[in-house]
Amino acid sequence: MDLLNTLVDKGLRRESPTREEALAVLATSDDDVLDVVAAAGKVRRHWFGRRVKLNYLVNLKSGLCPEDCSYCSQRLGSTSEILKYTWLKPDQAAAAATAGVAGGAKRVCLVASGRGPTDRDVDRVSKTIAAIKDQHQDVEICACLGLLSEGQAERLRDAGANAYNHNLNTSEATYGDITTTHTYADRVSTVQQAQAAGMSACSGLIAGMGESDEDLVDVVFSLRELDPDSVPVNFLIPIEGTPLSGDWNLTPQRCLRILAMVRFVCPDVEVRLAGGREIHLRTLQPLALNLANSIFLGDYLTTEGQAGKDDLAMIADAGFEVEGTDTTTLPEHRADALAAAAGGCGSHPGAAGGCGSHGAEAGGCGPCGGDTAPEAEAGAEAEAAAVAAREDSHADLVAVRRRGVGTDLPPNA
């Protein structure tokens, strides 16, 4: 179709589509989804070949968060039956990271629940980075610790952090419906602080929180303007004990269209297939590798992911290859720009990407309604029945993490 040809041409030139074109991608029918994937796949292969970057999450501190993010099982007031523990010691975190590196992970993402780190917390994380780098010199480290205070980004960079993650999650217009304890502007500021410090910025979104197509396009265009090096795309995991545990609003085809739209808007950026891929894409996960060039290996923060060996088999069976530590993830023009900002040479493989984190376990909210016409009521009843059917069909796919860090069981990698 003419739309897809236009978007491919623009993507190969690093030219942004219009908002109308981005909305049109989301509006395509299920009958056209393979054509959409094929078109966006051309853009993905142009900038990233058939490489897939593997990332591994280490949850340094789980639960007990004072923030009220509706999607998160670690939120204030959450009744989710998740593991809760305070800061891991550096050697514990390094041991956890080793499992991911052994599975082929090029990047280790260090995540801690909370509003943001204290200076003492930054010291803790700095020691953890040193412990990991001591064992795995070439591994990339991404920190995700919440909102940063003045000078903390520079301290993390000096400690060896290659990147910092902080997701925008949803559009500015709907952000207040998802979180009230901090603002959308707070998140933007933290990403900008990481960039100013010379770290690779990572910021993405969560789909499936009751947002409209316009909201999805808004947040992706905001991300393009912010210009992170990587954009993780999370799909809501409706965990029991969070405000929207019953929200099952996504289909595999819808997820593929969202990923394609992100690829067209951010053609030369590392697009990461992040939390929720297993339960929403299900058997269509391999198709998503034609859109995203990066995935998480194994488990997420508080939920279990697909077994690492199955991830590796999926990548190989789909005709892709795991990206090695001797390869720079980003296209040359982005890697050089990042290196210049960091004062480096541009060739080091550490100048890349980012991680998705809190968006890996998510919820969301839909609008509340008033009086409706009979036809609207009937439509609402049908939609409620469809949602209930999806919930009955897929709720058992959400497995709360019971292994790895914080337990006596081995991690999933």
Side-chain angles (χ1 to χ4, degrees):
M1 65 179 67
D2 290 343
L3 168 67
L4 296 179
N5 291 333
T6 298
L7 290 173
V8 170
D9 289 342
K10 287 186 173 183
L12 300 184
R13 299 195 304 267
R14 296 167 53 202
E15 181 182 338
S16 177
T18 65
R19 282 182 51 83
E20 290 72 23
E21 289 168 339
L23 286 166
V25 172
L26 296 179
T28 54
S29 71
D30 287 352
D31 290 340
D32 294 325
V33 72
L34 289 180
D35 293 332
V36 173
V37 170
K42 293 179 181 178
V43 178
R44 180 253 200 262
R45 289 191 300 275
H46 176 79
W47 295 110
F48 298 96
R50 301 194 71 82
R51 295 178 282 113
V52 178
K53 180 176 178 178
L54 299 182
N55 310 265
Y56 190 71
L57 284 170
V58 176
N59 199 2
L60 297 179
K61 182 166 72 79
S62 184
L64 310 174
C65 183
E67 302 298 289
D68 68 353
C69 305
S70 299
Y71 50 81
C72 188
S73 59
Q74 305 182 77
R75 73 189 297 272
L76 179 69
S78 170
T79 59
S80 301
E81 296 181 359
I82 62 169
L83 293 169
K84 297 177 183 179
Y85 52 85
T86 190
W87 289 94
L88 297 180
K89 292 180 171 57
D91 60 332
Q92 293 174 310
T98 294
V101 174
K106 180 177 178 178
R107 167 162 292 189
V108 172
C109 304
L110 302 176
V111 188
S113 62
R115 179 177 178 83
T118 64
D119 288 341
R120 184 182 179 190
D121 293 336
V122 172
D123 288 338
R124 297 179 201 267
V125 176
S126 296
K127 292 175 182 176
T128 296
I129 293 171
I132 295 172
K133 293 267 190 177
D134 185 57
Q135 297 182 29
H136 309 288
Q137 184 177 359
D138 293 331
V139 74
E140 299 173 6
I141 300 292
C142 178
C144 178
L145 312 174
L147 302 173
L148 292 175
S149 301
E150 184 176 354
Q152 290 183 330
E154 289 78 8
R155 290 177 60 196
L156 289 167
R157 176 205 62 205
D158 293 343
N162 304 96
Y164 196 84
N165 163 261
H166 206 55
N167 294 332
L168 297 187
N169 289 332
T170 191
S171 69
E172 184 173 12
T174 59
Y175 193 82
D177 297 332
I178 303 301
T179 305
T180 66
T181 48
H182 60 267
T183 68
Y184 181 91
D186 291 331
R187 287 187 169 265
V188 170
S189 175
T190 287
V191 176
Q192 291 173 332
Q193 287 182 62
Q195 290 172 316
M199 285 193 289
S200 177
C202 169
S203 190
L205 65 141
I206 306 168
M209 299 197 294
E211 70 283 336
S212 66
D213 285 1
E214 288 76 11
D215 290 321
L216 284 170
V217 169
D218 281 348
V219 69
V220 176
F221 271 74
S222 293
L223 287 165
R224 180 179 172 102
E225 183 177 354
L226 196 56
D227 198 29
D229 293 310
S230 62
V231 174
V233 180
N234 299 278
F235 301 108
L236 168 65
I237 300 178
I239 302 175
E240 289 297 324
T242 59
L244 295 167
S245 59
D247 274 32
W248 293 87
N249 301 316
L250 298 169
T251 66
Q253 294 83 1
R254 169 77 167 165
C255 293
L256 290 172
R257 285 192 288 269
I258 291 168
L259 286 166
M261 185 269 288
V262 174
R263 174 56 71 194
F264 284 131
V265 177
C266 306
D268 60 337
V269 167
E270 178 185 348
V271 175
R272 183 163 306 115
L273 183 57
R277 63 177 166 96
E278 297 89 348
I279 66 173
H280 291 296
L281 282 161
R282 300 188 286 283
T283 58
L284 296 192
Q285 283 187 78
L287 277 179
L289 296 177
N290 291 281
L291 307 169
N293 62 295
S294 181
I295 67 170
F296 281 107
L297 179 72
D299 294 340
Y300 300 100
L301 294 177
T302 64
T303 57
E304 293 182 358
Q306 182 167 279
K309 62 182 178 58
D310 293 336
D311 285 333
L312 298 176
M314 176 181 71
I315 291 168
D317 290 349
F320 292 87
E321 61 185 21
V322 173
E323 183 177 297
T325 57
D326 58 344
T327 303
T328 301
T329 300
L330 296 176
E332 185 176 358
H333 62 277
R334 292 196 71 93
D336 286 347
L338 176 60
C345 65
S347 62
H348 193 280
C355 81
S357 57
H358 292 304
E361 290 94 47
C365 73
C368 52
D371 295 334
T372 55
E375 296 84 0
E377 290 178 351
E381 290 174 1
E383 175 61 20
V387 170
R390 288 197 292 269
E391 184 175 355
D392 290 342
S393 301
H394 306 314
D396 60 339
L397 295 174
V398 180
V400 175
R401 182 167 65 80
R402 299 296 184 202
R403 59 194 174 197
V405 179
T407 76
D408 295 327
L409 301 176
N412 173 25

mmCIF file of all heavy atoms in Angstrom, residues 323-370:
data_model
loop_
_atom_site.group_PDB
_atom_site.id
_atom_site.type_symbol
_atom_site.label_atom_id
_atom_site.label_comp_id
_atom_site.label_asym_id
_atom_site.label_seq_id
_atom_site.Cartn_x
_atom_site.Cartn_y
_atom_site.Cartn_z
ATOM 1 N N GLU A 323 23.642 -10.369 19.119
ATOM 2 C CA GLU A 323 24.675 -9.348 18.942
ATOM 3 C C GLU A 323 25.780 -9.533 19.973
ATOM 4 O O GLU A 323 25.518 -9.651 21.170
ATOM 5 C CB GLU A 323 24.041 -7.969 19.094
ATOM 6 C CG GLU A 323 24.980 -6.812 18.869
ATOM 7 C CD GLU A 323 24.248 -5.493 18.967
ATOM 8 O OE1 GLU A 323 23.354 -5.253 18.136
ATOM 9 O OE2 GLU A 323 24.561 -4.719 19.885
ATOM 10 N N GLY A 324 27.021 -9.547 19.519
ATOM 11 C CA GLY A 324 28.154 -9.748 20.404
ATOM 12 C C GLY A 324 28.650 -8.463 21.035
ATOM 13 O O GLY A 324 28.295 -7.351 20.617
ATOM 14 N N THR A 325 29.500 -8.614 22.064
ATOM 15 C CA THR A 325 30.046 -7.445 22.754
ATOM 16 C C THR A 325 31.039 -6.684 21.889
ATOM 17 O O THR A 325 31.384 -5.548 22.207
ATOM 18 C CB THR A 325 30.736 -7.863 24.060
ATOM 19 O OG1 THR A 325 31.762 -8.828 23.760
ATOM 20 C CG2 THR A 325 29.739 -8.480 25.024
ATOM 21 N N ASP A 326 31.478 -7.288 20.795
ATOM 22 C CA ASP A 326 32.431 -6.613 19.912
ATOM 23 C C ASP A 326 31.740 -5.794 18.834
ATOM 24 O O ASP A 326 32.391 -5.245 17.942
ATOM 25 C CB ASP A 326 33.367 -7.636 19.256
ATOM 26 C CG ASP A 326 32.607 -8.689 18.450
ATOM 27 O OD1 ASP A 326 31.377 -8.816 18.640
ATOM 28 O OD2 ASP A 326 33.252 -9.391 17.649
ATOM 29 N N THR A 327 30.427 -5.691 18.929
ATOM 30 C CA THR A 327 29.633 -4.960 17.931
ATOM 31 C C THR A 327 28.994 -3.740 18.566
ATOM 32 O O THR A 327 28.449 -3.822 19.666
ATOM 33 C CB THR A 327 28.520 -5.859 17.353
ATOM 34 O OG1 THR A 327 29.101 -7.028 16.794
ATOM 35 C CG2 THR A 327 27.715 -5.120 16.288
ATOM 36 N N THR A 328 29.049 -2.609 17.888
ATOM 37 C CA THR A 328 28.355 -1.416 18.359
ATOM 38 C C THR A 328 26.883 -1.507 17.947
ATOM 39 O O THR A 328 26.581 -1.699 16.777
ATOM 40 C CB THR A 328 28.983 -0.146 17.764
ATOM 41 O OG1 THR A 328 30.354 -0.084 18.151
ATOM 42 C CG2 THR A 328 28.274 1.100 18.255
ATOM 43 N N THR A 329 26.012 -1.374 18.904
ATOM 44 C CA THR A 329 24.583 -1.535 18.624
ATOM 45 C C THR A 329 24.063 -0.468 17.679
ATOM 46 O O THR A 329 23.416 -0.753 16.674
ATOM 47 C CB THR A 329 23.774 -1.483 19.934
ATOM 48 O OG1 THR A 329 24.212 -2.531 20.795
ATOM 49 C CG2 THR A 329 22.283 -1.642 19.658
ATOM 50 N N LEU A 330 24.340 0.780 18.010
ATOM 51 C CA LEU A 330 23.734 1.892 17.274
ATOM 52 C C LEU A 330 24.376 2.102 15.918
ATOM 53 O O LEU A 330 25.562 1.813 15.722
ATOM 54 C CB LEU A 330 23.864 3.176 18.097
ATOM 55 C CG LEU A 330 23.117 3.217 19.425
ATOM 56 C CD1 LEU A 330 23.425 4.505 20.168
ATOM 57 C CD2 LEU A 330 21.614 3.072 19.205
ATOM 58 N N PRO A 331 23.618 2.641 14.963
ATOM 59 C CA PRO A 331 24.211 3.052 13.695
ATOM 60 C C PRO A 331 25.344 4.054 13.937
ATOM 61 O O PRO A 331 25.373 4.756 14.954
ATOM 62 C CB PRO A 331 23.039 3.711 12.955
ATOM 63 C CG PRO A 331 21.819 3.111 13.567
ATOM 64 C CD PRO A 331 22.163 2.888 15.009
ATOM 65 N N GLU A 332 26.268 4.119 13.011
ATOM 66 C CA GLU A 332 27.496 4.898 13.203
ATOM 67 C C GLU A 332 27.230 6.348 13.580
ATOM 68 O O GLU A 332 27.894 6.898 14.466
ATOM 69 C CB GLU A 332 28.347 4.842 11.933
ATOM 70 C CG GLU A 332 29.694 5.516 12.069
ATOM 71 C CD GLU A 332 30.542 5.364 10.825
ATOM 72 O OE1 GLU A 332 30.080 4.693 9.874
ATOM 73 O OE2 GLU A 332 31.667 5.911 10.790
ATOM 74 N N HIS A 333 26.244 6.983 12.937
ATOM 75 C CA HIS A 333 26.009 8.400 13.216
ATOM 76 C C HIS A 333 25.531 8.608 14.651
ATOM 77 O O HIS A 333 25.898 9.592 15.286
ATOM 78 C CB HIS A 333 25.003 8.994 12.219
ATOM 79 C CG HIS A 333 23.648 8.357 12.272
ATOM 80 N ND1 HIS A 333 23.351 7.178 11.612
ATOM 81 C CD2 HIS A 333 22.507 8.712 12.916
ATOM 82 C CE1 HIS A 333 22.094 6.847 11.830
ATOM 83 N NE2 HIS A 333 21.560 7.763 12.627
ATOM 84 N N ARG A 334 24.733 7.666 15.184
ATOM 85 C CA ARG A 334 24.276 7.803 16.566
ATOM 86 C C ARG A 334 25.385 7.453 17.551
ATOM 87 O O ARG A 334 25.542 8.095 18.591
ATOM 88 C CB ARG A 334 23.053 6.914 16.814
ATOM 89 C CG ARG A 334 21.798 7.341 16.069
ATOM 90 C CD ARG A 334 20.564 6.673 16.660
ATOM 91 N NE ARG A 334 20.248 7.215 17.970
ATOM 92 C CZ ARG A 334 19.400 8.214 18.192
ATOM 93 N NH1 ARG A 334 18.779 8.791 17.179
ATOM 94 N NH2 ARG A 334 19.170 8.632 19.416
ATOM 95 N N ALA A 335 26.144 6.421 17.254
ATOM 96 C CA ALA A 335 27.243 6.030 18.134
ATOM 97 C C ALA A 335 28.280 7.142 18.235
ATOM 98 O O ALA A 335 28.803 7.432 19.320
ATOM 99 C CB ALA A 335 27.889 4.741 17.628
ATOM 100 N N ASP A 336 28.570 7.799 17.116
ATOM 101 C CA ASP A 336 29.548 8.887 17.122
ATOM 102 C C ASP A 336 29.036 10.084 17.918
ATOM 103 O O ASP A 336 29.792 10.725 18.660
ATOM 104 C CB ASP A 336 29.872 9.318 15.693
ATOM 105 C CG ASP A 336 30.758 8.311 14.966
ATOM 106 O OD1 ASP A 336 31.317 7.425 15.645
ATOM 107 O OD2 ASP A 336 30.874 8.397 13.732
ATOM 108 N N ALA A 337 27.747 10.379 17.766
ATOM 109 C CA ALA A 337 27.179 11.503 18.521
ATOM 110 C C ALA A 337 27.201 11.219 20.017
ATOM 111 O O ALA A 337 27.507 12.101 20.828
ATOM 112 C CB ALA A 337 25.748 11.771 18.047
ATOM 113 N N LEU A 338 26.898 9.986 20.395
ATOM 114 C CA LEU A 338 26.925 9.620 21.802
ATOM 115 C C LEU A 338 28.339 9.686 22.353
ATOM 116 O O LEU A 338 28.571 10.185 23.458
ATOM 117 C CB LEU A 338 26.353 8.215 21.984
ATOM 118 C CG LEU A 338 26.406 7.636 23.398
ATOM 119 C CD1 LEU A 338 25.627 8.521 24.372
ATOM 120 C CD2 LEU A 338 25.855 6.217 23.412
ATOM 121 N N ALA A 339 29.300 9.191 21.581
ATOM 122 C CA ALA A 339 30.687 9.217 22.027
ATOM 123 C C ALA A 339 31.186 10.642 22.201
ATOM 124 O O ALA A 339 31.922 10.938 23.143
ATOM 125 C CB ALA A 339 31.564 8.465 21.032
ATOM 126 N N ALA A 340 30.758 11.524 21.302
ATOM 127 C CA ALA A 340 31.168 12.921 21.423
ATOM 128 C C ALA A 340 30.616 13.545 22.692
ATOM 129 O O ALA A 340 31.297 14.295 23.399
ATOM 130 C CB ALA A 340 30.704 13.708 20.195
ATOM 131 N N ALA A 341 29.369 13.194 23.015
ATOM 132 C CA ALA A 341 28.758 13.732 24.235
ATOM 133 C C ALA A 341 29.453 13.199 25.479
ATOM 134 O O ALA A 341 29.562 13.887 26.491
ATOM 135 C CB ALA A 341 27.269 13.375 24.273
ATOM 136 N N ALA A 342 29.947 11.940 25.387
ATOM 137 C CA ALA A 342 30.601 11.317 26.529
ATOM 138 C C ALA A 342 32.096 11.569 26.553
ATOM 139 O O ALA A 342 32.782 11.153 27.484
ATOM 140 C CB ALA A 342 30.331 9.820 26.523
ATOM 141 N N GLY A 343 32.614 12.200 25.496
ATOM 142 C CA GLY A 343 34.047 12.458 25.410
ATOM 143 C C GLY A 343 34.831 11.236 25.001
ATOM 144 O O GLY A 343 36.019 11.099 25.312
ATOM 145 N N GLY A 344 34.161 10.286 24.276
ATOM 146 C CA GLY A 344 34.838 9.061 23.872
ATOM 147 C C GLY A 344 35.188 9.065 22.409
ATOM 148 O O GLY A 344 35.140 10.088 21.728
ATOM 149 N N CYS A 345 35.525 7.856 21.895
ATOM 150 C CA CYS A 345 36.033 7.750 20.528
ATOM 151 C C CYS A 345 34.965 7.364 19.527
ATOM 152 O O CYS A 345 35.178 7.482 18.327
ATOM 153 C CB CYS A 345 37.159 6.710 20.472
ATOM 154 S SG CYS A 345 36.579 5.045 20.858
ATOM 155 N N GLY A 346 33.847 6.819 19.985
ATOM 156 C CA GLY A 346 32.772 6.457 19.068
ATOM 157 C C GLY A 346 32.796 5.023 18.644
ATOM 158 O O GLY A 346 31.858 4.549 18.008
ATOM 159 N N SER A 347 33.866 4.299 18.934
ATOM 160 C CA SER A 347 33.947 2.920 18.485
ATOM 161 C C SER A 347 33.706 1.909 19.581
ATOM 162 O O SER A 347 33.573 0.725 19.330
ATOM 163 C CB SER A 347 35.335 2.656 17.882
ATOM 164 O OG SER A 347 36.340 2.848 18.854
ATOM 165 N N HIS A 348 33.663 2.356 20.839
ATOM 166 C CA HIS A 348 33.499 1.414 21.946
ATOM 167 C C HIS A 348 32.087 0.869 21.977
ATOM 168 O O HIS A 348 31.123 1.618 21.849
ATOM 169 C CB HIS A 348 33.799 2.104 23.285
ATOM 170 C CG HIS A 348 33.954 1.144 24.416
ATOM 171 N ND1 HIS A 348 32.881 0.588 25.064
ATOM 172 C CD2 HIS A 348 35.066 0.614 24.992
ATOM 173 C CE1 HIS A 348 33.304 -0.240 26.009
ATOM 174 N NE2 HIS A 348 34.627 -0.248 25.983
ATOM 175 N N PRO A 349 31.941 -0.462 22.104
ATOM 176 C CA PRO A 349 30.598 -1.042 22.089
ATOM 177 C C PRO A 349 29.726 -0.594 23.226
ATOM 178 O O PRO A 349 28.528 -0.787 23.201
ATOM 179 C CB PRO A 349 30.881 -2.560 22.178
ATOM 180 C CG PRO A 349 32.254 -2.676 22.750
ATOM 181 C CD PRO A 349 32.995 -1.464 22.232
ATOM 182 N N GLY A 350 30.299 0.015 24.247
ATOM 183 C CA GLY A 350 29.493 0.482 25.363
ATOM 184 C C GLY A 350 28.630 1.673 25.029
ATOM 185 O O GLY A 350 27.739 2.035 25.779
ATOM 186 N N ALA A 351 28.885 2.324 23.904
ATOM 187 C CA ALA A 351 28.093 3.505 23.553
ATOM 188 C C ALA A 351 26.822 3.085 22.857
ATOM 189 O O ALA A 351 26.709 3.146 21.660
ATOM 190 C CB ALA A 351 28.921 4.412 22.637
ATOM 191 N N ALA A 352 25.865 2.632 23.625
ATOM 192 C CA ALA A 352 24.648 2.147 23.005
ATOM 193 C C ALA A 352 23.505 1.990 23.970
ATOM 194 O O ALA A 352 23.679 1.953 25.164
ATOM 195 C CB ALA A 352 24.932 0.795 22.338
ATOM 196 N N GLY A 353 22.314 1.891 23.364
ATOM 197 C CA GLY A 353 21.115 1.384 23.972
ATOM 198 C C GLY A 353 20.641 1.904 25.303
ATOM 199 O O GLY A 353 20.863 2.999 25.703
ATOM 200 N N GLY A 354 19.897 1.082 26.014
ATOM 201 C CA GLY A 354 19.327 1.408 27.314
ATOM 202 C C GLY A 354 18.438 0.287 27.792
ATOM 203 O O GLY A 354 18.468 -0.777 27.234
ATOM 204 N N CYS A 355 17.722 0.435 28.796
ATOM 205 C CA CYS A 355 16.910 -0.664 29.323
ATOM 206 C C CYS A 355 15.495 -0.221 29.675
ATOM 207 O O CYS A 355 15.231 0.908 29.970
ATOM 208 C CB CYS A 355 17.572 -1.307 30.527
ATOM 209 S SG CYS A 355 17.305 -0.418 32.051
ATOM 210 N N GLY A 356 14.650 -1.181 29.651
ATOM 211 C CA GLY A 356 13.301 -0.934 30.114
ATOM 212 C C GLY A 356 13.173 -1.528 31.488
ATOM 213 O O GLY A 356 13.769 -2.524 31.794
ATOM 214 N N SER A 357 12.387 -0.910 32.336
ATOM 215 C CA SER A 357 12.395 -1.450 33.678
ATOM 216 C C SER A 357 11.022 -1.454 34.281
ATOM 217 O O SER A 357 10.259 -2.379 34.121
ATOM 218 C CB SER A 357 13.371 -0.670 34.544
ATOM 219 O OG SER A 357 13.038 0.692 34.539
ATOM 220 N N HIS A 358 10.668 -0.352 34.996
ATOM 221 C CA HIS A 358 9.403 -0.392 35.720
ATOM 222 C C HIS A 358 8.247 -0.625 34.769
ATOM 223 O O HIS A 358 7.232 -1.149 35.161
ATOM 224 C CB HIS A 358 9.188 0.912 36.498
ATOM 225 C CG HIS A 358 10.175 1.051 37.613
ATOM 226 N ND1 HIS A 358 10.307 0.105 38.577
ATOM 227 C CD2 HIS A 358 11.078 2.018 37.892
ATOM 228 C CE1 HIS A 358 11.245 0.485 39.437
ATOM 229 N NE2 HIS A 358 11.718 1.633 39.037
ATOM 230 N N GLY A 359 8.433 -0.209 33.471
ATOM 231 C CA GLY A 359 7.372 -0.480 32.516
ATOM 232 C C GLY A 359 7.192 -1.958 32.252
ATOM 233 O O GLY A 359 6.258 -2.364 31.608
ATOM 234 N N ALA A 360 8.126 -2.796 32.738
ATOM 235 C CA ALA A 360 8.029 -4.216 32.477
ATOM 236 C C ALA A 360 6.917 -4.885 33.276
ATOM 237 O O ALA A 360 6.518 -5.988 32.981
ATOM 238 C CB ALA A 360 9.368 -4.892 32.773
ATOM 239 N N GLU A 361 6.424 -4.253 34.288
ATOM 240 C CA GLU A 361 5.248 -4.735 34.985
ATOM 241 C C GLU A 361 4.274 -3.566 35.055
ATOM 242 O O GLU A 361 4.551 -2.609 35.734
ATOM 243 C CB GLU A 361 5.512 -5.111 36.418
ATOM 244 C CG GLU A 361 6.295 -6.275 36.755
ATOM 245 C CD GLU A 361 7.724 -6.066 37.000
ATOM 246 O OE1 GLU A 361 8.131 -5.177 37.719
ATOM 247 O OE2 GLU A 361 8.433 -6.873 36.440
ATOM 248 N N ALA A 362 3.178 -3.649 34.351
ATOM 249 C CA ALA A 362 2.425 -2.427 34.213
ATOM 250 C C ALA A 362 0.934 -2.609 34.385
ATOM 251 O O ALA A 362 0.395 -3.691 34.317
ATOM 252 C CB ALA A 362 2.713 -1.809 32.853
ATOM 253 N N GLY A 363 0.256 -1.487 34.562
ATOM 254 C CA GLY A 363 -1.197 -1.412 34.620
ATOM 255 C C GLY A 363 -1.639 -0.159 33.916
ATOM 256 O O GLY A 363 -0.854 0.503 33.301
ATOM 257 N N GLY A 364 -2.851 0.204 34.025
ATOM 258 C CA GLY A 364 -3.278 1.424 33.365
ATOM 259 C C GLY A 364 -4.688 1.756 33.751
ATOM 260 O O GLY A 364 -5.281 1.093 34.580
ATOM 261 N N CYS A 365 -5.245 2.803 33.158
ATOM 262 C CA CYS A 365 -6.613 3.143 33.516
ATOM 263 C C CYS A 365 -7.395 3.554 32.293
ATOM 264 O O CYS A 365 -6.862 4.128 31.366
ATOM 265 C CB CYS A 365 -6.647 4.243 34.557
ATOM 266 S SG CYS A 365 -6.226 5.839 33.955
ATOM 267 N N GLY A 366 -8.656 3.213 32.301
ATOM 268 C CA GLY A 366 -9.547 3.610 31.236
ATOM 269 C C GLY A 366 -10.437 4.726 31.717
ATOM 270 O O GLY A 366 -10.535 4.985 32.909
ATOM 271 N N PRO A 367 -11.118 5.410 30.811
ATOM 272 C CA PRO A 367 -11.989 6.518 31.208
ATOM 273 C C PRO A 367 -13.230 6.000 31.916
ATOM 274 O O PRO A 367 -13.690 4.890 31.680
ATOM 275 C CB PRO A 367 -12.355 7.162 29.863
ATOM 276 C CG PRO A 367 -12.231 6.053 28.874
ATOM 277 C CD PRO A 367 -11.091 5.194 29.373
ATOM 278 N N CYS A 368 -13.743 6.813 32.825
ATOM 279 C CA CYS A 368 -15.007 6.463 33.462
ATOM 280 C C CYS A 368 -16.128 7.177 32.714
ATOM 281 O O CYS A 368 -15.945 8.272 32.216
ATOM 282 C CB CYS A 368 -15.007 6.855 34.935
ATOM 283 S SG CYS A 368 -14.553 8.567 35.238
ATOM 284 N N GLY A 369 -17.280 6.536 32.629
ATOM 285 C CA GLY A 369 -18.341 7.100 31.808
ATOM 286 C C GLY A 369 -19.553 7.523 32.617
ATOM 287 O O GLY A 369 -19.756 7.102 33.744
ATOM 288 N N GLY A 370 -20.393 8.356 32.016
ATOM 289 C CA GLY A 370 -21.637 8.774 32.649
ATOM 290 C C GLY A 370 -22.806 8.094 31.960
ATOM 291 O O GLY A 370 -22.735 6.950 31.561
#
